[in-house]
Amino acid sequence: MKVLVTGGAGYIGSHVVADLVKAGHDVAVVDNLSSGQRQHVHPSARFYLADTTRPIELAKVFVTETGSAPIDVVMHFAAKLDVEESVRLPLAYYHNNVEGLRIVLACMLDAGVKNIVFSSTAAVYGDPLAQEPLSEHMPTLPINPYGSSKRAAEQLIQWVSASDGINYAILRYFNAAGADESCALGLEKPHYTHLVPLAVRAALGLEDAVKIFGDDWQTPDGTCIRDYIHVSDLSDAHLLAAQYLLTEQKSLLLNLGTAQGSSVKEVIAAVDKLRPCPYQVVGKRAGDPAVLIADASKAHEVLGWCPQRDLDVIVKSDLNYRLRART
């Protein structure tokens, strides 16, 4: 299949691009490199430096790509995703995450592309402490602009599906972490916000200490609980979802997680087994739910997908990547 990947130089996008290429697919990547890494784009993928919020730039990419062969699937990863930042910059989040998607969808319709795999998030659920694990049928009540912008994007895709007949796979990630087995790909950012790389960096002496944002949450050890899923397991799900769209011509909305929650302290303990990990407790962050755990049984039922890598593998792979890259 021919796939256009927006945000394909980013953390999850670059893993998916690499796996698409390895599986023999024809891949083009669009990224503005605001947070992605050009060197992480597989050399066999065509790369376009373009911004999804700029319609003229993006339309040129679609025209160029469809000039040689039709695009079968768009995989849309390009988004802002920092919860804390979204609370400070809600307009920027809606512009990038909703307006950027609107332009992608408009270009798809103009080019006759009928399938989209959309990178969504568990943040659309909000703070459903009494409803764990979370299934796709539970209410979506986001409590921060990031989650709200992603829910608005989901709804826009569903409206366009109803009006124009496109098929979609909306994939709600829980907490992506870890690095590619080869250590060639991993999360690199000028400012880290994800717990696993922060804890690993603290263990490597690249951070003074990892911060625990509150230890009096309504959880067994007082720290927030999340469902950590290896980025390579996420990538596997994207390839399966794209193939489903092409063969079944039906839409999907799926959770992607492990159904296993780990607290902040448990993640730090997993790192500590490999290297001592200093930490400090600070105040709570705005917009954080206490618990987010996935019911991903539907992904298993429909796609035959099951995550293969546990928290220890996630932590070790991130450590190995940083030992190689020293970042």
Side-chain angles (χ1 to χ4, degrees), residues 150-266:
K150 283 291 195 174
R151 183 65 186 112
E154 290 183 357
Q155 292 172 317
L156 178 56
I157 290 170
Q158 291 167 327
W159 284 119
V160 174
S161 174
S163 66
D164 292 274
I166 68 169
N167 300 311
Y168 61 81
I170 293 171
L171 305 180
R172 292 174 176 168
Y173 309 164
F174 281 61
N175 280 54
D180 178 70
E181 266 183 6
S182 68
C183 296
L185 299 172
L187 181 63
E188 287 187 35
K189 298 179 74 174
H191 172 63
Y192 289 87
T193 58
H194 295 73
L195 175 60
V196 170
L198 281 170
V200 169
R201 282 172 55 83
L204 291 172
L206 299 170
E207 305 274 349
D208 290 337
V210 62
K211 293 178 181 177
I212 296 177
F213 293 98
D215 61 356
D216 59 349
W217 297 89
Q218 293 180 32
T219 61
D221 68 13
T223 64
C224 289
I225 293 174
R226 296 290 182 268
D227 187 336
Y228 294 91
I229 178 168
H230 196 286
V231 64
S232 295
D233 284 324
L234 281 181
S235 182
D236 293 343
H238 283 77
L239 272 65
L240 290 170
Q243 195 60 55
Y244 179 93
L245 293 180
L246 292 176
T247 57
E248 301 296 328
Q249 298 185 5
K250 297 177 182 177
S251 293
L252 292 168
L253 192 158
L254 301 173
N255 287 337
L256 297 180
T258 67
Q260 300 293 320
S262 299
S263 73
V264 175
K265 286 184 177 178
E266 287 171 335

Side-chain angles (χ1 to χ4, degrees), residues 51-119:
D51 194 314
T52 57
T53 65
R54 296 176 179 172
I56 294 175
E57 287 183 10
L58 195 61
K60 286 181 179 177
V61 175
F62 273 82
V63 169
T64 300
E65 283 298 320
T66 54
S68 58
I71 297 168
D72 295 307
V73 182
V74 168
M75 292 189 178
H76 184 57
F77 295 95
K80 290 182 175 291
L81 47 72
D82 184 330
V83 169
E84 188 176 16
E85 181 184 61
S86 79
V87 175
R88 294 185 285 107
L89 301 171
L91 290 175
Y93 271 68
Y94 268 77
H95 177 69
N96 196 87
N97 295 357
V98 183
E99 174 62 5
L101 171 67
R102 185 197 68 78
I103 293 168
V104 169
L105 291 169
C107 288
M108 285 177 58
L109 295 181
D110 288 344
V113 183
K114 289 294 187 180
N115 301 292
I116 183 169
V117 179
F118 178 66
S119 169

